[in-house]
Amino acid sequence: MINKRNALLFLSTITFLLLTWYLGFKIERSQFFYLITHYTFFFLLYLAVYHYSSDKKTILWYTGVGISLRFLLIFAFPNLSDDVYRFIWDGRLIANGINPFDHLPTYYIEKGVNIPGITSTLYEQLNSPNYFTIYPPVNQFIFATAAYLTPNTITGSSIIMKSFLFLMEVGSLYLIFQLLKYFQLPLKNILLYALNPLIIFEIMGNIHFEGAMIFFLLLSVWLIAVRQRLVGSAVAMALAIASKLLPLIFLPFFILRLAKKPIVPTTNLPILHWFQRIDWARNLLFFGTLGLSLLLLFLPLFSGSFLANFGASLNLYFQKFEFNGSISYLLRWIGYLDKGYNVIQYIGPRLSILAFLSILYLMFREQNPNWNNLFKQLLFAICAYLFLSMTVHPWYVALPIVCCLFTSFRFPILWSGLIFLTYINYNYVVYQENLWMVAIEYILIGIFVVYEMKTLDD
C-alpha cells in the first residue's frame, strides 16, 4: 500500500517531468501566455517542495529529480533563445582553424569565403551578425568540440553543448551539497538550485554558460575553503572567468580571506590598516597562478585583432544594449525629460564605474572576512552590478541564486520567478519591451529586498 508521502513524491515528480517536457519541447518564446502560466505553476510547485522537504531522503530524492529534468532537456532544442546559432557559428570557425574574433560574421558572407558549415542560412539565424563575438575561451572550446563532433547538424551540436553543461550542473549540485555541509547550513537549500525553473530552463534548456561559470566558481571556493588547495582554487577561478567574465568582480573579496591566520575583527578599518592585514605571499601565489592560467586559456584566441574586437563588443554592451534595466531605466527616463533623447551612451559607463565603486565599498567595509560569509558579499556584489546594469537577461539571475543558497537572503529566488515576465516582449508582432512588466518585476523585488535587509540578521 502506497502511503501519502510516497504518493505526493510520485505525483510531484511526474508533474515536474511533464512541465519540463512541455516547457522545454513544446513552447516557443512568442507564446507568452502558455509560457508564463506553466512556468508559474512550476515555480509554485518548486517553492512548495522546498518548504515541505525536511528529511535527507526526500531532499536527495528531489535533487535526483532536478538532475533528471536536466538530462531530459539535453535533447530539447533551445526554444527561448537563438544564441545557439552564434555558438555554432563560432565553433565551426574554430573547427576550420579560424579565430572567431578576427572578423564579423558579415565579412565571411560578403567576401564569399568558402568555409564548411559557414552558410548564408546559418548567418540569417544569427541575432547579432554585426557584432564581434564576446564568448571567452571555455565557451569557445565547447563550441569547437560540438562543431568538430557534429559538423553537419545544428541539433547535434546543441546536444553536445548541453551534455557539457549537464555534467557541470551535476558537479555544481555535488559542490553545493559539500559546501552546505561544510558551512553547517540546511541541506534543503540545495533544492533552491536543483529545482529552480530559471536554472533548469535557461542553463540546460537554452544553453547559457552561467552553468559553467557557476561550477568553476563553486569549485574554486570549495578547493580553497574546504580543501586548502590554493593553486587549484586559482586555476578553477580562472576557468570561471574564462566561462563568463563576471567572476572578476568577486576577486577583491578573496584578498583578505587568503590569509592563513584568522583576520581579527575590527570596527575601525582605515585603508592602511586594511592593507596591513593582507597575506602578501599567499595573495601573490593565488593571483599569480590566476593570471598565468588566464593567459594560457586566452592565448589560443589571441591575434592582432583580438583585443580591439573583444573590447569593441564589451564597449557596445555598456553603451548600446538595453534590456530589463532598473536604475538605468529610471535615469534614461530622466534623461528623456531633460535632454529629449536617450542618454544611454553616457549612463552606461558611469553606472559601470558606480558598480565598481560599490564593490570596493563592500570590500573595504568588511569587519570579519572569512569563508563562511563570502557568499553574502558575493551576493551583494553581483546584485549591485545587476541593479546598475542596463542589460539583465533572465539567465543573469543564476549567479545571485547560487550565492543566496549560503545566506539567509531569498530575494534572488523571487527574482527568478518574476524575471520570466520579460518574455512578454517576444509576444508582439514586432519585438518591443514592455516596461510595465519591468516595473512590476523591480518594484516587487525592491520591496522584498528592503524587507529582508530589515528583518534578517545574516
Side-chain angles (χ1 to χ4, degrees):
M1 182 176 180
I2 300 177
N3 60 36
K4 182 179 179 181
R5 174 184 172 278
N6 289 337
L8 289 174
L9 282 174
F10 177 77
L11 180 60
S12 59
T13 299
I14 294 299
T15 304
F16 276 129
L17 287 168
L18 289 174
L19 286 170
T20 301
W21 170 78
Y22 187 71
L23 286 165
F25 289 82
K26 296 298 181 180
I27 292 291
E28 301 295 329
R29 65 182 181 182
S30 59
Q31 300 172 291
F32 176 72
F33 175 78
Y34 297 102
L35 173 63
I36 200 63
T37 51
H38 287 80
Y39 183 86
T40 301
F41 188 19
F42 194 121
F43 186 76
L44 293 175
L45 179 59
Y46 150 73
L47 294 181
V49 165
Y50 169 73
H51 180 74
Y52 289 108
S53 296
S54 55
D55 61 283
K56 185 175 181 179
K57 185 177 179 180
T58 301
I59 293 167
L60 292 177
W61 170 269
Y62 280 119
T63 302
V65 171
I67 293 173
S68 300
L69 302 182
R70 286 163 170 80
F71 182 79
L72 175 62
L73 287 176
I74 291 176
F75 307 99
F77 192 77
N79 59 355
L80 301 181
S81 171
D82 50 12
D83 289 345
V84 62
Y85 299 109
R86 186 56 179 263
F87 302 163
I88 292 170
W89 180 279
D90 285 5
R92 288 179 176 178
L93 287 176
I94 297 175
N96 285 281
I98 299 171
N99 190 330
F101 290 92
D102 282 351
H103 299 288
L104 293 169
T106 51
Y107 169 85
Y108 301 100
I109 301 302
E110 292 173 355
K111 299 293 184 180
V113 181
N114 185 20
I115 303 171
I118 300 299
T119 64
S120 57
T121 301
L122 179 59
Y123 174 82
E124 291 169 359
Q125 293 172 303
L126 301 180
N127 58 19
S128 54
N130 297 313
Y131 302 124
F132 289 102
T133 186
I134 200 169
Y135 302 108
V138 169
N139 306 41
Q140 296 291 350
F141 169 78
I142 295 174
F143 303 162
T145 302
Y148 178 79
L149 294 176
T150 56
N152 301 314
T153 165
I154 290 176
T155 300
S157 293
S158 168
I159 290 174
I160 296 297
M161 287 185 275
K162 286 190 173 192
S163 297
F164 275 100
L165 286 174
F166 172 75
L167 294 175
M168 291 176 180
E169 281 286 273
V170 173
S172 292
L173 289 169
Y174 171 79
L175 291 168
I176 289 169
F177 181 84
Q178 294 299 325
L179 287 168
L180 288 172
K181 286 202 304 182
Y182 178 76
F183 294 133
Q184 298 181 343
L185 295 168
L187 184 58
K188 68 183 295 184
N189 287 5
I190 194 174
L191 298 181
L192 292 172
Y193 188 89
L195 294 175
N196 186 284
L198 182 140
I199 298 293
I200 291 170
F201 292 109
E202 292 296 1
I203 291 178
M204 282 306 305
N206 297 321
I207 317 183
H208 290 300
F209 285 84
E210 273 69 13
M213 172 188 63
I214 286 170
F215 168 68
F216 289 121
L217 175 64
L218 291 171
L219 180 60
S220 178
V221 176
W222 179 72
L223 285 171
I224 186 64
V226 181
R227 302 300 299 275
Q228 303 299 315
R229 300 289 190 267
L230 189 147
V231 172
S233 175
V235 173
M237 180 60 75
L239 288 166
I241 295 169
S243 302
K244 287 277 185 174
L245 298 181
L246 267 179
L248 283 169
I249 70 175
F250 293 157
L251 295 181
F253 302 102
F254 280 70
I255 295 174
L256 291 184
R257 288 176 172 84
L258 291 173
K260 271 192 173 181
K261 296 180 180 179
I263 299 296
V264 178
T266 178
T267 56
N268 181 20
L269 192 60
I271 298 298
L272 181 60
H273 188 190
W274 190 92
F275 281 101
Q276 289 174 342
R277 300 197 301 171
I278 296 174
D279 187 327
W280 293 100
R282 287 172 62 81
N283 271 271
L284 181 61
L285 180 58
F286 181 86
F287 286 101
T289 303
L290 173 64
L292 179 61
S293 300
L294 285 174
L295 178 62
L296 294 174
L297 287 166
F298 276 88
L299 193 59
L301 297 174
F302 266 98
S303 65
S305 56
F306 171 79
L307 291 177
N309 294 343
F310 191 59
S313 293
L314 288 176
N315 190 53
L316 283 171
Y317 176 83
F318 287 110
Q319 294 197 31
K320 186 170 183 179
F321 296 153
E322 293 179 284
F323 180 86
N324 191 37
S326 53
I327 294 173
S328 66
Y329 278 19
L330 288 175
L331 294 177
R332 185 182 67 178
W333 174 66
I334 294 171
Y336 271 117
L337 294 178
D338 183 44
K339 303 291 186 180
Y341 58 87
N342 193 344
V343 293
I344 178 177
Q345 59 181 323
Y346 307 108
I347 293 174
R350 287 165 174 79
L351 287 178
S352 301
I353 293 172
L354 182 57
F356 175 72
L357 294 175
S358 300
I359 291 166
L360 289 183
Y361 171 75
L362 288 171
M363 176 185 69
F364 283 119
R365 72 182 292 270
E366 279 198 279
Q367 297 177 14
N368 183 27
N370 56 67
W371 296 115
N372 294 66
N373 59 27
L374 171 68
F375 282 102
K376 178 181 177 182
Q377 296 301 103
L378 302 190
L379 175 61
F380 290 164
I382 185 58
C383 288
Y385 171 82
L386 292 177
F387 288 145
L388 291 168
S389 178
M390 296 186 299
T391 303
V392 183
H393 290 295
W395 51 95
Y396 290 10
V397 182
L399 197 46
I401 290 170
V402 76
C403 289
C404 86
L405 306 182
F406 307 98
T407 76
S408 298
F409 292 94
R410 294 292 177 262
F411 66 87
I413 305 302
L414 174 63
W415 200 354
S416 71
L418 293 172
I419 200 168
F420 252 64
L421 292 171
T422 60
Y423 275 104
I424 195 174
N425 301 341
Y426 301 98
N427 195 51
Y428 306 111
V429 176
V430 177
Y431 174 88
Q432 58 180 302
E433 189 165 17
N434 188 317
L435 296 181
W436 286 108
M437 290 299 185
V438 175
I440 291 171
E441 173 193 350
Y442 284 110
I443 288 172
L444 293 178
I445 293 169
I447 292 172
F448 198 54
V449 168
V450 171
Y451 166 76
E452 290 202 313
M453 293 293 287
K454 287 185 174 183
T455 58
L456 292 180
D457 182 18
D458 196 47

